[in-house]
Amino acid sequence: MYSNRISTAARYNLLASDIKKNEEAFNRLTAQLASGKKFSSITEDPIAAVNIVNTNRQLGQIETFNKNVEMAKTEIQTMDDLLDLANGYLSRAWDKAVQANNQTYNDDSLKALKVEIDEILNTVVDLANTEFNGNYVFAGANVKLPPYKFDENGNVIYTGTKQGSPYIRQYEVADGVYETINTTGDKVFGWYEGDGEGEYSGLIGTLKLLSNSIQGVVDGHAEGDNAKVQESYEKMNSTLSMFQKSLDTITAEQTKFGGVYNRLEMTNNTLETNTENLTSYLSQLQEVDIAQAVSDWYQAQYAYQASLQVASASMGMSLLNYMQ
Amino acid sequence: MNLLSSLNISQGALSVNEKAISVVSHNVANMNTEGYHKQRVNLAARNIAGQIGDNPLNQVRANGGVMIANVMRYNDDYLNNYYRQQLAQRNMYEQQLGNLDDLANIFNDLDGTGIDSALSDFYDALNNLNQYPASSTARANFIERAKSLASIMNSKSVELSKLTGQALGTGDSAEALANSRIYAQYRDLNNSLEELAAVNKALQTTQTGTLTANNLLDKRDLILHDISQYLDITVDEKQNGTVNVYVGDVPLVKGSTVTGSLEVQTAKDYCANHEPPIGTPDDWSDIWYNQMHGEAAVISIVDKSGDSYSVIYDNANGIIQGGALGGLIHSATDYDDGVTNAGTVQAALDTLASTIADVFNTLNTREGAYCINPNDTNLLTETNANNTIFQSSDGGPITAANITISDNLRSNDGIWNIACAYFENEADRPSATNPDAYNAVGNAFNVVDMMATRNAKQGGEMKGMSFEDFYSNILGKVASAGDTAKSLYETQCDVVDSLENQLDSAYGVDLNEELVDLVKYQTAYAAAAQVFNTVNACLDTLMTLGR
């Protein structure tokens, strides 16, 4: 008869180690259920651990991009509102210019008109010097100084970043993708440094020129200098086409930023979709499937209980119980 | 006189069973003693010498009753040997796992702490700086983030050094070695070697004949198991039960002498004491990486028997591969390629720290980059070659341990020293002919380039990975090394457990068996007593004959 010899100590050890195994499984599942996490140490699932860290990082980045997009949208919206206002002033000044060009205004009316045009010019310069969120909107990168100022001769000098410079403000809206969020004042509003060719530009140049030509007509009348009056009316007439051009410039800039705004909206959507996908991926990676875990937990509990019962029943068994 | 011989036989039987019961009681008493091997009394019939010839009475006369042939010790030499090997292996894995587990705890970034999130925060601060390059808040925020990035690398580095220090010491400090795990282990091991030599000596004087000194053998095996926990040894058993113990080919114990005690010294001392010395103290860190492979402690085997003192093996690290000592020496700090441990991870973190510092310092100091004039914060001013972002706290090369933000960022006006602006075209840079550009404090093109380093692949030691990829790579390596070590250890534990179980079953005490024996011997004792009484009665009867 063959039978495996087993010593008393070995039997106890075996029982103890089996109980320990069941206890371990039970504890692991309990910890999973309690924390809701599949694992607590990176060594338990290295691949998932790296993926979790990477995904968390991506989610953080997306959150930043989202904030950037929202900020960029606000800034562009602000700029668009300002340009709408500028358009309104432009139209008003344009109407006045058409009326003045009829050459039917007397000197008093012309003087009044000049005051009004100067008022509009001041308003437009104020507009161009708008500060939003600590930055001057139309200053390009020179964000801390108002981009326009009047010099002692009444010229309107632009000190912001010059148009065409690549160095203006931009936000990152996706990995390595930057959207420009402002424009330079000289491009949309122009400037005025004198009556000569190339010394003025844009709405500000036009307004200033209009104001000067009105003054010229009034001065001509006063001096009886008909040639000056004629010259000034010609100058006044030339502003009409300049108004058209300035309007075109501003509208073109608005259209451009309208496009950026739409792109940002789309980016918003993409980022949201990405966030949803990544979040659900993350939860797949680290969160416990509760239904599965609960059923596993009960199973482990039964196994643990059974091993305890068997152990307690068999531990006391020996021949000793039957000897007198 | 047959009656008298019966009397003798039953008296002998009484005494033999008495002794057998005492062996049973020894077994029962030691049923839970660690390393105790069950003993069994083997009985033999006593034969009284003399010719038998054709006379059947002679045959009766030859029967001398019972005697104890020997007291056998349950044992399985093959299993013992195998068990010792597997035990050494398990303890090696245990040390590896211990080290890697500690390592994994340092890099447990699942909850969004640690270097990775510090890096993310750092880039977040850059993003903020891109939006508000002229804002003192955004600048201060960036400096704070850079500080926390540096300090978290410092603290991880400290934790890593603690890990290696705990295992093997620091490699150059005798005090650190004295507090390390290897120090405690090698002394334990030396004690065990001494104990084994003493048991060998006892065996030499005790086990002189054919019989075995069971309790001494138990003790011997127990010590051998103890030694196997630390080392992968070869055991050579002699006729008299003494054992010679070798590690590799080097004898540690021969008979009653310890021929090879272990000594441990710091790697630096080893290099200095070596004949001829290895390297010079000046190029210590170089030797440390290239000659010592980051092994901070060196074990030598020394013969101190009698009055002699001779070094048998000056660097035994190579022949000690298994057991706790082997695991400790080779898993804590080895810088060998492909190994993941505190040492290699430390080196990788150093690479990360120095590359980050390098990249950002280069950007902040490059030509065309401008910081803000602290005297008029609406104006730009050119950066300079000393205007770094990171520096080392001790003046040496930048490592994870010493990286810190530069002094020029710490000063009161420090926030303005971050060079946010960058003009690629020389013509666009601020100058006397282009004075307006001095006002371009909203220019954040240097920041944009700093942000671009997030995905930029870095060359050199970073092996074409971005900072974050490189970090993920470290983390992944630590995690999978920990995972592998865990499964190796668990498997090996199962092997050892099952062997322990087999050994226990082979030589442990089974209570039922003992109780059966007890009853068996008791019965035999009672029967022998009965025979004695009966013979006695017969003798009485004999005495009354003829009355």
Side-chain angles (χ1 to χ4, degrees):
Chain A
M1 186 194 76
Y2 173 79
S3 76
N4 239 341
R5 187 172 187 277
I6 180 157
S7 72
T8 309
R11 197 156 58 88
Y12 286 155
N13 286 344
L14 214 59
L15 280 173
S17 92
D18 283 343
I19 292 176
K20 218 172 72 185
K21 269 183 202 155
N22 279 322
E23 191 185 3
E24 238 174 61
F26 176 68
N27 280 346
R28 201 185 54 243
L29 286 165
T30 309
Q32 276 189 1
L33 268 178
S35 70
K37 296 269 159 68
K38 272 185 192 157
F39 50 84
S40 59
S41 162
I42 56 171
T43 57
E44 284 172 54
D45 189 341
I47 295 172
V50 171
N51 284 339
I52 287 173
V53 170
N54 286 346
T55 310
N56 272 330
R57 184 192 301 150
Q58 280 176 37
L59 277 172
Q61 263 180 304
I62 288 179
E63 201 188 316
T64 308
F65 294 150
N66 237 335
K67 272 190 223 150
N68 289 355
V69 167
E70 290 306 328
M71 284 276 301
K73 274 162 70 180
T74 319
E75 298 227 9
I76 288 174
Q77 192 75 58
T78 310
M79 195 164 63
D80 195 54
D81 290 349
L82 290 172
L83 291 178
D84 274 346
L85 283 176
N87 271 343
Y89 294 127
L90 185 146
S91 306
R92 245 174 76 196
W94 196 356
D95 283 352
K96 300 291 173 197
V98 172
Q99 287 168 23
N101 263 307
N102 289 339
Q103 309 197 359
T104 53
Y105 277 26
N106 60 20
D107 278 3
D108 284 347
S109 305
L110 282 173
K111 276 180 195 159
L113 189 61
K114 182 181 181 297
V115 170
E116 200 174 345
I117 294 295
D118 285 347
E119 204 46 54
I120 291 178
L121 175 66
N122 284 338
T123 316
V124 168
V125 168
D126 280 352
L127 197 86
N129 279 344
T130 303
E131 198 180 1
F132 176 72
N133 219 352
N135 295 324
Y136 284 95
V137 178
F138 295 105
N142 300 7
V143 291
K144 285 296 167 202
L145 290 177
Y148 285 99
K149 58 175 188 249
F150 289 97
D151 71 2
E152 60 274 18
N153 303 320
N155 295 334
V156 186
I157 312 290
Y158 174 71
T159 58
T161 308
K162 301 282 184 289
Q163 68 171 298
S165 162
Y167 306 109
I168 49 177
R169 298 171 56 225
Q170 48 178 6
Y171 287 176
E172 190 180 26
V173 293
D175 236 343
V177 179
Y178 289 83
E179 284 289 1
T180 303
I181 50 115
N182 77 347
T183 182
T184 59
D186 58 348
K187 188 170 180 190
V188 277
F189 296 117
W191 72 91
Y192 180 87
E193 289 171 6
D195 271 359
E197 192 69 35
E199 290 183 322
Y200 58 86
S201 152
L203 178 56
I204 288 175
T206 311
L207 288 172
K208 189 71 193 168
L209 214 61
L210 180 60
S211 159
N212 285 353
S213 60
I214 296 171
Q215 187 67 46
V217 172
V218 173
D219 287 353
H221 282 159
E223 293 158 14
D225 186 345
N226 259 339
K228 187 168 183 183
V229 172
Q230 209 49 45
E231 194 190 334
S232 297
Y233 268 125
E234 269 167 34
K235 218 194 266 178
M236 197 188 286
N237 194 35
S238 75
T239 61
L240 292 179
S241 64
M242 284 169 62
F243 272 117
Q244 179 65 52
K245 238 174 87 186
S246 304
L247 182 66
D248 288 351
T249 313
I250 295 179
T251 316
E253 210 62 10
Q254 275 184 304
T255 315
K256 192 177 108 190
F257 281 101
V260 175
Y261 192 87
N262 287 343
R263 264 209 306 282
L264 291 177
E265 294 262 82
M266 268 152 58
T267 311
N268 244 171
N269 293 340
T270 319
L271 292 176
E272 257 163 44
T273 316
N274 285 351
T275 310
E276 278 164 24
N277 289 346
L278 286 173
T279 314
S280 82
Y281 178 52
L282 197 60
S283 99
Q284 264 176 38
L285 283 176
Q286 61 180 8
E287 273 157 36
V288 167
D289 174 356
I290 299 289
Q292 178 74 42
V294 167
S295 94
D296 285 356
W297 184 77
Y298 273 112
Q299 231 168 22
Q301 197 192 14
Y302 293 143
Y304 182 34
Q305 248 169 17
S307 68
L308 287 178
Q309 245 161 33
V310 167
S312 74
S314 72
M315 268 198 178
M317 280 211 305
S318 88
L319 196 53
L320 205 54
N321 301 340
Y322 306 99
M323 291 176 72
Q324 280 137 20
Chain B
M1 202 49 202
N2 268 331
L3 274 178
L4 283 183
S5 85
S6 294
L7 213 53
N8 275 336
I9 288 175
S10 50
Q11 185 221 336
L14 280 174
S15 119
V16 162
N17 283 307
E18 211 178 276
K19 293 196 168 69
I21 287 173
S22 107
V23 170
V24 169
S25 80
H26 188 56
N27 281 340
V28 171
N30 284 300
M31 65 178 286
N32 289 326
T33 305
E34 196 197 347
Y36 178 74
H37 291 229
K38 173 195 157 69
Q39 297 176 17
R40 200 182 76 184
V41 174
N42 283 332
L43 300 179
R46 185 196 296 273
N47 185 46
I48 291 167
Q51 267 186 0
I52 294 178
D54 296 331
N55 186 354
L57 285 180
N58 284 347
Q59 201 178 26
V60 174
R61 274 187 210 110
N63 289 346
V66 71
M67 66 173 188
I68 294 177
N70 61 9
V71 180
M72 193 189 84
R73 170 176 177 263
Y74 276 41
N75 193 26
D76 187 333
D77 275 336
Y78 170 76
L79 258 187
N80 269 335
N81 247 327
Y82 188 59
Y83 170 69
R84 281 195 292 266
Q85 284 165 20
Q86 299 304 318
L87 188 64
Q89 189 80 0
R90 187 197 71 181
N91 280 28
M92 182 187 85
Y93 287 144
E94 189 183 9
Q95 293 297 330
Q96 277 179 2
L97 177 64
N99 285 331
L100 286 167
D101 256 357
D102 291 346
L103 198 56
N105 284 338
I106 297 182
F107 287 93
N108 214 352
D109 288 1
L110 292 177
D111 48 355
T113 53
I115 294 181
D116 194 71
S117 54
L119 255 177
S120 288
D121 288 349
F122 179 71
Y123 277 106
D124 242 17
L126 272 174
N127 180 66
N128 191 238
L129 201 54
N130 176 45
Q131 290 172 339
Y132 305 103
S135 141
S136 57
T137 326
R139 285 168 171 264
N141 178 47
F142 171 75
I143 291 183
E144 282 315 306
R145 294 305 181 188
K147 262 189 208 163
S148 17
L149 177 62
S151 66
I152 196 147
M153 289 211 260
N154 298 157
S155 71
K156 295 289 176 191
S157 184
V158 168
E159 284 177 54
L160 284 173
S161 332
K162 254 193 218 153
L163 256 192
T164 47
Q166 275 165 10
L168 298 179
T170 54
D172 53 1
S173 148
E175 195 193 343
L177 181 65
N179 289 322
S180 65
R181 271 189 287 168
I182 198 170
Y183 202 75
Q185 292 197 355
Y186 103 91
R187 291 205 304 191
D188 266 3
L189 179 60
N190 275 346
N191 284 341
S192 295
L193 293 177
E194 294 291 346
E195 277 176 49
L196 184 64
V199 170
N200 271 347
K201 189 169 189 179
L203 277 166
Q204 277 172 355
T205 50
T206 318
Q207 197 169 307
T208 48
T210 51
L211 296 180
T212 53
N214 292 342
N215 296 324
L216 278 176
L217 293 181
D218 284 356
K219 197 171 175 191
R220 181 201 71 187
D221 283 354
L222 207 55
I223 296 172
L224 283 176
H225 291 175
D226 265 356
I227 296 176
S228 303
Q229 297 195 7
Y230 296 115
L231 283 176
D232 43 349
I233 48 170
T234 327
V235 175
D236 176 20
E237 185 172 355
K238 300 287 177 212
Q239 189 60 41
N240 59 3
T242 62
V243 284
N244 294 346
V245 168
Y246 300 84
V247 58
D249 292 332
V250 184
L252 298 183
V253 175
K254 260 187 168 174
S256 58
T257 22
V258 176
T259 52
S261 308
L262 300 196
E263 280 191 350
V264 65
Q265 52 188 335
T266 64
K268 198 171 190 176
D269 285 346
Y270 165 75
C271 290
N273 298 338
H274 194 266
E275 260 324 308
I278 302 172
T280 59
D282 294 340
D283 52 357
W284 161 240
S285 59
D286 185 52
I287 308 172
W288 162 255
Y289 277 91
N290 296 320
Q291 307 271 337
M292 302 309 299
H293 305 285
E295 286 165 14
V298 175
I299 291 183
S300 318
I301 299 177
V302 180
D303 186 356
K304 290 196 283 198
S305 56
D307 296 332
S308 69
Y309 181 97
S310 57
V311 178
I312 306 177
Y313 215 98
D314 71 336
N315 183 352
N317 286 7
I319 56 169
I320 299 174
Q321 291 291 342
L325 275 181
L328 207 50
I329 293 172
H330 298 289
S331 78
T333 57
D334 258 10
Y335 284 123
D336 292 339
D337 267 350
V339 181
T340 300
N341 56 38
T344 49
V345 169
Q346 176 89 276
L349 272 194
D350 287 348
T351 303
L352 183 65
S354 72
T355 316
I356 288 178
D358 207 39
V359 163
F360 281 93
N361 287 347
T362 308
L363 285 174
N364 208 56
T365 55
R366 67 174 165 169
E367 204 184 329
Y370 284 77
C371 32
I372 284 180
N373 185 344
N375 301 320
D376 180 350
T377 57
N378 288 336
L379 291 177
L380 290 178
T381 180
E382 210 170 337
T383 184
N384 60 66
N386 297 323
N387 188 21
T388 55
I389 290 184
F390 294 106
Q391 67 179 29
S392 78
S393 54
D394 53 14
I398 293 179
T399 63
N402 65 18
I403 188 171
T404 172
I405 65 158
S406 297
D407 294 335
N408 52 313
L409 293 192
R410 284 180 193 278
S411 61
N412 281 341
D413 291 333
I415 52 169
W416 305 114
N417 285 331
I418 306 161
C420 293
Y422 176 67
F423 300 89
E424 192 175 4
N425 306 327
E426 217 172 323
D428 293 323
R429 291 177 193 164
S431 65
T433 52
N434 189 13
D436 282 347
Y438 277 113
N439 293 325
V441 292
N443 178 325
F445 277 78
N446 214 28
V447 178
V448 168
D449 284 346
M450 288 179 184
M451 286 161 80
T453 61
R454 187 168 194 170
N455 294 320
K457 313 226 171 304
Q458 307 292 340
E461 300 267 335
M462 302 265 299
K463 302 198 167 103
M465 284 181 267
S466 71
F467 299 134
E468 287 169 330
D469 285 349
F470 188 73
Y471 182 74
S472 293
N473 190 40
I474 300 178
L475 189 128
K477 271 185 181 167
V478 169
S480 48
D483 185 36
T484 314
K486 193 158 74 188
S487 53
L488 281 175
Y489 174 66
E490 276 169 7
T491 315
Q492 194 61 25
C493 274
D494 284 348
V495 170
V496 169
D497 280 355
S498 121
L499 278 174
E500 263 171 8
N501 204 34
Q502 280 185 47
L503 281 174
D504 235 6
S505 297
Y507 62 61
V509 176
D510 178 23
L511 202 53
N512 293 340
E513 211 175 65
E514 299 308 318
L515 291 175
V516 168
D517 279 355
L518 188 63
V519 173
K520 194 169 80 182
Y521 295 130
Q522 189 192 12
T523 313
Y525 188 88
Q530 186 58 50
V531 170
F532 187 93
N533 280 341
T534 309
V535 172
N536 201 19
C538 289
L539 277 174
D540 279 350
T541 313
L542 196 63
M543 293 301 177
T544 56
L545 277 182
R547 271 199 198 169

